[in-house]
Amino acid sequence: MNDTLAPGLERYDLTDPRTFIDNDVQAMWARFRAERPVYLHPATRGAPPFWVVSRHADVHAVYRDNKRFTSERGNVLATLLQGEDSASRKMLAVTDGPRHRAIRNLMLKSFSPRVLAPVVEGVHRRTRELIAQQVGSGAFDFVADLADHIPIHTIGDLMGVPDGDREKLVHWNTMTLSRTSAEHGEEEEWLARNEILLYFSGLVEERRRSPGEDVISALATGTVDGEPLTEEEIVFNCYSLILGGDESSRMSSIGAVIALAEHSDQWQALKDGSACLEPAVEEVLRWTTPAMHFGRRALADVRIGDTTVRAGDVVTLWNSSANFDEAVFTDPCRFDLTRHPNKHVAFGYGPHFCLGAFLGRTHVEAVLAALREKVGHIELLGRPKRLYSNFVKGYSGLPVRLEA
Ligand code: HEM
């Protein structure tokens, strides 16, 4: 590895969730982009050094290049630093090559516009109803009373998860991806992950016996080159759908409410129609960037910008920096619902581009449309409670009041 430590930047420990809570993160990323866009993060607490890529162009280039960068040894910092991901070659996001393409194609059938049309309708209806119930009813928690009840039902419908099981899945999802505080330990994360896997292995068995129209049935009965998927492939992909489908969408909706409450000019623009929904959704996704980073392992020596990373190195791609890169976004720290173009990487890019991007966009659009239709004024009643994570940017509590 090249020696590309930069004086001053080493005070930012990107393995520590506190770094993202205690610092002015925008100022931090502006420094990385300007001073050391491909930065060698020093080893910490037994974890090896890793590369930090912060410019939009470089993040894009690595996402696109699945020949020289692999996801199969992890795609987030935690697993990359361990050196492996136990779901490797079983779960789409950590599988590469022809197997990735074949399983992605199989899953894509469940995400076609025809299959999704009733799901989209359901997202809009549910969101409108939940927001209407809260308007004028005083203080409530936007996370627990509202956001927690939307995406889980969308992905739950798509997967055919029984209604009564959905609440516990939201709880396990939060414990797995992003602890609500420093007190929740790694053991709880591990237990939650196992609960989800065990839960789906029961459901898969059921769907094999009597398949329906849902995505679990598609995985349980689908074939690649005439062969059924393995039990582990099916269960790990269910796990990835419930996690991907719920957490990031929830976080972008919560972030949307905070951003609108804090930017009254943009709230007015949304209300009076000078900001249309389509660009507004993209700006909310850029602004909130729920998946702060993803990562890869280099398979060869590769030049990124002015720096050479070596075969075997861990390379992390910071969406939360790329989406505020002044080289791509004019006035990036301005929340502008009419921003166009808006080439954000909130959903990644290239072969692993988010499978659920359409659904993610639908969730944000439903929240914006319902707020515009039903709400006159959004009032934040306290500080939003941040999740404790260096992967998911989001909130576990948001006290608000919505007035008609
Ligand atoms: C992949 C973000 C919603 C399922 C990804 C990736 C990102 C992302 C950045 C790329 C990972 C990588 O390159 O390693 C988001 C955000 C969402 C969202 C910000 C909401 C706002 C969803 C939903 C679903 C989903 C609703 C499922 C219903 C997936 C899957 C992959 C993925 C299965 C792996 C795709 C592959 O490897 O080919 N997501 N996601 N996501 N996402 Fe999402």
Side-chain angles (χ1 to χ4, degrees):
M1 286 186 181
N2 301 358
D3 180 15
T4 53
L5 289 178
L9 292 184
E10 68 276 3
R11 79 183 182 88
Y12 298 117
D13 177 356
L14 301 181
T15 64
D16 184 353
R18 244 180 293 271
T19 301
F20 301 88
I21 296 171
D22 296 346
N23 288 292
D24 173 350
V25 174
Q26 288 313 341
M28 172 182 93
W29 285 125
R31 281 197 61 193
F32 273 99
R33 288 192 300 274
E35 294 172 33
R36 202 68 67 165
V38 183
Y39 165 74
L40 184 60
H41 192 291
T44 48
R45 282 173 284 138
F50 60 93
W51 295 102
V52 174
V53 178
S54 51
R55 283 189 184 161
H56 187 281
D58 297 333
V59 166
H60 230 235
V62 178
Y63 267 134
R64 206 168 37 214
D65 187 350
N66 71 338
K67 299 275 179 305
R68 295 183 301 170
F69 294 97
T70 180
S71 298
E72 293 197 343
R73 292 178 66 192
N75 72 338
V76 294
L77 198 46
T79 48
L80 282 162
L81 293 182
Q82 276 162 25
E84 57 169 4
D85 188 321
S86 57
S88 177
R89 297 200 60 76
K90 298 167 200 153
M91 187 167 88
L92 195 65
V94 283
T95 301
D96 280 316
R99 189 81 188 157
H100 171 259
R101 267 196 306 282
I103 296 188
R104 191 173 160 105
N105 284 339
L106 192 110
M107 289 172 78
L108 271 173
K109 289 183 196 136
S110 306
F111 288 83
S112 73
R114 184 188 62 79
V115 176
L116 288 181
V119 177
V120 170
E121 171 54 33
V123 175
H124 278 274
R125 184 179 23 80
R126 203 172 280 130
T127 310
R128 245 191 338 262
E129 284 168 10
L130 282 167
I131 287 187
Q133 274 166 27
Q134 297 294 351
V135 174
S137 69
F140 72 100
D141 182 356
F142 191 86
V143 178
D145 300 328
L146 215 149
D148 278 3
H149 304 285
I150 304 173
I152 188 64
H153 288 295
T154 317
I155 190 69
D157 287 352
L158 207 65
M159 299 178 86
V161 171
D163 256 355
D165 296 343
R166 295 179 184 184
E167 203 172 306
K168 68 181 176 206
L169 282 164
V170 171
H171 173 70
W172 289 333
N173 283 353
T174 305
M175 294 308 297
T176 306
L177 274 178
S178 44
R179 301 182 220 162
T180 45
S181 72
E183 287 95 65
H184 288 119
E186 274 171 32
E187 195 185 334
E188 276 165 294
E189 260 176 70
W190 183 84
L191 283 172
R193 182 181 158 117
N194 280 330
E195 293 280 16
I196 302 175
L197 293 172
L198 210 63
Y199 173 80
F200 279 114
S201 94
L203 212 52
V204 166
E205 200 38 54
E206 219 178 281
R207 294 298 147 78
R208 261 214 202 92
R209 284 197 303 270
S210 59
E213 290 279 303
D214 55 275
V215 63
I216 301 185
S217 301
L219 286 165
T221 59
T223 55
V224 170
D225 299 332
E227 293 291 323
L229 307 193
T230 67
E231 174 76 18
E232 285 188 313
E233 277 177 322
I234 302 169
V235 171
F236 273 107
N237 279 310
C238 289
Y239 168 83
S240 126
L241 285 176
I242 202 82
L243 233 65
D246 172 45
E247 185 88 352
S248 309
S249 295
R250 259 191 303 148
M251 294 312 151
S252 48
S253 304
I254 298 161
V257 171
I258 300 173
L260 290 170
E262 289 177 344
H263 298 83
S264 53
D265 61 325
Q266 296 304 298
W267 171 234
Q268 280 319 314
L270 185 71
K271 288 287 291 175
D272 68 25
S274 50
C276 302
L277 280 181
E278 207 178 308
V281 167
E282 298 310 313
E283 181 66 348
V284 164
L285 287 163
R286 181 188 78 92
W287 190 256
T288 56
T289 311
M292 289 195 271
H293 78 268
F294 273 100
R296 304 288 187 258
R297 194 174 279 268
L299 291 171
D301 294 358
V302 185
R303 204 135 178 89
I304 309 175
D306 295 335
T307 308
T308 302
V309 306
R310 301 288 174 200
D313 288 356
V314 167
V315 179
T316 54
L317 312 171
W318 290 86
N319 301 331
S320 45
S321 173
N323 281 347
F324 290 82
D325 186 340
E326 38 294 284
V328 174
F329 302 97
T330 313
D331 206 357
C333 292
R334 183 174 142 65
F335 179 57
D336 175 5
L337 294 179
T338 63
R339 185 179 291 279
H340 181 81
N342 193 342
K343 294 186 180 309
H344 66 76
V345 287
F347 291 121
Y349 188 74
H352 287 281
F353 180 76
C354 177
L355 195 71
F358 177 74
L359 278 184
R361 289 186 163 114
T362 301
H363 282 119
V364 176
E365 183 179 329
V367 167
L368 296 183
L371 288 173
R372 187 174 69 175
E373 185 188 321
K374 307 275 180 205
V375 178
H377 180 64
I378 306 170
E379 188 185 353
L380 299 187
L381 299 175
R383 276 168 68 88
K385 191 160 180 273
R386 277 289 298 273
L387 287 178
Y388 189 75
S389 173
N390 68 350
F391 172 50
V392 181
K393 176 166 176 234
Y395 304 87
S396 60
L398 176 62
V400 286
R401 182 162 42 218
L402 302 179
E403 298 300 339

